Amino acid sequence: ADETMNDLTQAESPTDMEVDNTEKQPSTESTTSASTTTTFEQLPDYSPSDKTCADIIESLLGIIYIKFGIRASIEVCTELGITLPADDHRARTDHMGEVENERREKVRGAAESFVGRKGFRCEDLLVEALTHPSCIHEEVPCYQKLEWVGDAVLCLAAREWVFKTYYMEKVAKLVVIETTLVCNETLAFLCARKKLHYYINHRDRTLLPKINDFDAETGSMQRGLWGTDPPKVLADVVEALMGAVHVDGGFEAGQATALHILKPMIQAVEKEFNTQTGVTQMQMLSMMQPKQVMFEFTNRLLQVRLHKEFSFAQHFSKIPVWRGDHWSKPDMDSNGYVGHIVCSSISLVAVAESSYNVAQNRACALVVAVLCKLPELFEKLKTIVSRLIMADTVVKAAAALAATDNQGKPGDEADGSEEEQKKDLQLEGTKNEKDKLNENSLDDAKDAVGIS
């Protein structure tokens, strides 16, 4: 780079030449012009935009590439700290074949360790399972087809284990356990736990920051599994490896591999269910996937709605949101998300988070925690909803009856006018009763959730 810059600065610039010509031909005009010229020191302070800075860096890298080649460009990028760590061994150099073979061996070793199986007939399946769709010039396809197969392998293995282990439980509970085992958060955690993501072959520069954020959330930030938003690629490669084993070794091998990979979560589930006694069913499932727990064990009476926070602030400005350690009003300027739990027309809680997935999970988890502490609250909610449904049914029936009577014979119009007025009054009274019931129900709900 220094050599290139020296070459460039040796040539005289047009500006220098013009100055020299001016000096050789002094005149009154030139003297006047020189006296009014603004020097560099007199210019106002100027802070270039990020785009300008980026353009300059790209221009310098372009010079280095043209003058010295790709390897020198990568080395400069590394010095500047703007090269992805995984890019060094991917440079197309003269010894690329050796580097590529070495990389493949490392990938195969990591994949075999993760699936707990060696002796693949087609080892390229392991490389394929760890090849991201952003790699469009690789010798193997990306993992998408193997992921598609692995999804079915995982689903069957998890369901069979849950069914045999908890045969006497109700379907709702089985669904919650299965969802906990196969959801993206769980698979991403298992992937990161074995550092498998270091071996994913990709060209997506946005992926590494997302993986680092996920590592921080599960590590130093201690947010817990349901307080994270892992990149989907982590779960995808786990399923792709299950699919690779199934394709290479057959059905039994695929099922055994799925259970081997899920073993840490299976042990955690078994420990949770086998050691807890004297607690409610909801408490036993506190470690499970929050959304599924809430849906299955409230018979889908409670629903979660997701909003952009600025949109939530526009439509529900009076509803406070929970921010992890305090309540506050929704922020009109925020670009985050709000998980909003509702029961019929009743707003129960709203939780603000930076991520769509985390807002949903934490809102559901908060409701589940409250229902564990106050199980009688759920019974109150069911009673309120039943009353609302009953009032709504009465209104609809009265409206249908009025519509039917309005289609009577023309000759009966004079005689029926008085009857119609009575029915209209009756219908209006029923609607007023429903509105009043709605208000009373909301007051009851607010009293019921008036806890710290």
Side-chain angles (χ1 to χ4, degrees):
D2 293 337
E3 189 177 320
T4 303
M5 294 307 295
N6 289 334
D7 292 344
L8 293 174
T9 54
Q10 284 175 1
E12 289 184 335
S13 66
T15 304
D16 293 335
M17 296 175 66
E18 289 174 8
V19 172
D20 291 343
N21 291 336
T22 304
E23 290 175 353
K24 292 176 183 177
Q25 300 173 358
S27 65
T28 308
E29 283 185 19
S30 63
T31 306
T32 307
S33 175
S35 63
T36 59
T37 300
T38 303
T39 63
F40 180 77
E41 288 76 11
Q42 293 173 320
L43 290 172
D45 291 339
Y46 172 66
S47 298
S49 66
D50 290 344
K51 178 67 168 60
T52 301
C53 293
D55 290 344
I56 292 171
I57 293 294
E58 290 173 350
S59 300
L60 291 173
L61 292 175
I63 295 173
I64 295 166
Y65 173 75
I66 292 172
K67 181 76 175 178
F68 301 105
I70 182 65
R71 193 67 194 175
S73 300
I74 291 178
E75 290 174 358
V76 172
C77 287
T78 302
E79 284 191 33
L80 294 175
I82 58 176
T83 301
L84 295 177
D87 281 352
D88 288 344
H89 62 269
R90 293 182 186 147
R92 293 295 186 257
T93 61
D94 294 337
H95 61 281
M96 189 57 214
E98 297 177 7
V99 174
E100 181 66 15
N101 289 336
E102 182 181 350
R103 184 187 72 82
R104 281 173 171 253
E105 286 302 318
K106 290 181 178 180
V107 169
R108 291 188 188 107
E112 288 179 343
S113 174
F114 186 78
V115 301
R117 181 176 183 270
K118 293 186 177 182
F120 277 76
R121 292 177 296 177
C122 181
E123 293 185 344
D124 279 353
L125 286 172
L126 297 177
V127 178
E128 179 181 338
L130 290 168
T131 300
H132 190 264
S134 61
C135 300
I136 58 177
H137 297 298
E138 295 295 318
E139 296 178 2
V140 297
C142 71
Y143 60 62
Q144 289 175 326
K145 285 191 291 186
L146 290 178
E147 178 211 344
W148 176 63
V149 175
D151 181 70
V153 174
L154 172 64
C155 181
L156 181 58
R159 286 192 178 187
E160 183 178 2
W161 179 83
V162 173
F163 177 79
K164 290 181 177 179
T165 307
Y166 301 103
Y167 178 77
M168 300 304 294
E169 299 292 345
K170 294 181 179 180
V171 174
K173 192 171 184 178
L174 303 184
V175 170
V176 170
I177 299 174
E178 180 209 356
T179 303
T180 301
L181 293 176
V182 304
C183 66
N184 282 343
E185 292 91 341
T186 296
L187 298 181
F189 169 75
L190 295 173
C191 177
R193 178 174 174 268
K194 289 293 187 73
K195 309 299 181 184
L196 186 66
H197 52 288
Y198 291 155
Y199 301 92
I200 298 174
N201 185 13
H202 68 91
R203 302 293 186 275
D204 184 354
R205 65 181 60 192
T206 67
L207 183 57
L208 191 60
K210 294 177 182 177
I211 293 176
N212 290 337
D213 289 344
F214 177 65
D215 282 340
E217 289 170 348
T218 55
S220 58
M221 295 174 66
Q222 298 182 340
R223 298 204 69 176
L225 199 57
W226 313 123
T228 64
D229 189 19
K232 188 175 180 296
V233 61
L234 300 184
D236 289 346
V237 296
V238 173
E239 291 181 333
L241 284 170
M242 295 180 187
V245 175
H246 176 88
V247 171
D248 188 81
F251 175 79
E252 296 295 341
Q255 296 297 292
T257 294
L259 293 177
H260 170 78
I261 293 173
L262 293 177
K263 187 175 180 180
M265 287 301 296
I266 287 175
Q267 291 176 337
V269 170
E270 288 179 329
K271 181 180 179 181
E272 185 75 13
F273 278 80
N274 294 339
T275 59
Q276 291 201 35
T277 57
V279 295
T280 66
Q281 182 169 277
M282 195 79 75
Q283 286 172 303
M284 290 177 66
L285 295 175
S286 59
M287 69 166 284
M288 300 299 170
Q289 215 284 339
K291 179 182 175 182
Q292 201 66 40
V293 170
M294 189 187 77
F295 279 1
E296 297 297 338
F297 290 89
T298 62
N299 293 320
R300 299 188 179 269
L301 184 65
L302 307 186
Q303 298 293 322
V304 57
R305 298 173 182 171
L306 286 152
H307 311 263
K308 276 286 192 179
E309 186 168 354
F310 64 81
S311 176
F312 187 84
Q314 291 175 346
H315 297 92
F316 305 98
S317 58
K318 295 183 179 180
I319 297 178
V321 295
W322 177 248
R323 300 190 184 276
D325 55 3
H326 68 282
W327 296 94
S328 69
K329 292 182 178 180
D331 186 357
M332 284 284 293
D333 298 324
S334 172
N335 199 36
Y337 293 87
V338 172
H340 186 204
I341 308 297
V342 296
C343 177
S344 187
S345 59
I346 303 169
S347 174
L348 296 185
V349 70
V351 175
E353 282 288 347
S354 59
S355 160
Y356 174 99
N357 194 54
V358 177
Q360 171 182 268
N361 284 339
R362 290 177 77 88
C364 294
L366 183 56
V367 168
V368 170
V370 172
L371 294 181
C372 287
K373 186 175 181 63
L374 298 173
E376 68 277 7
L377 176 58
F378 181 57
E379 297 302 321
K380 291 182 179 181
L381 289 172
K382 286 198 294 187
T383 301
I384 292 169
V385 172
S386 297
R387 293 169 63 191
L388 291 173
I389 292 174
M390 185 180 299
D392 189 57
T393 303
V394 171
V395 171
K396 288 180 179 178
L401 183 61
T404 302
D405 290 346
N406 287 337
Q407 296 176 358
K409 297 179 180 179
D412 297 336
E413 289 180 3
D415 297 333
S417 59
E418 186 175 347
E419 290 295 327
E420 286 181 10
Q421 291 177 1
K422 289 182 179 179
K423 287 175 182 176
D424 288 342
L425 290 173
Q426 182 181 2
L427 178 60
E428 184 178 352
T430 307
K431 288 182 178 178
N432 290 336
E433 288 179 7
K434 184 194 173 187
D435 293 340
K436 185 176 180 181
L437 176 60
N438 237 324
E439 293 175 3
N440 292 337
S441 299
L442 277 171
D443 291 338
D444 291 344
K446 290 175 181 176
D447 292 339
V449 297
I451 60 175
S452 61

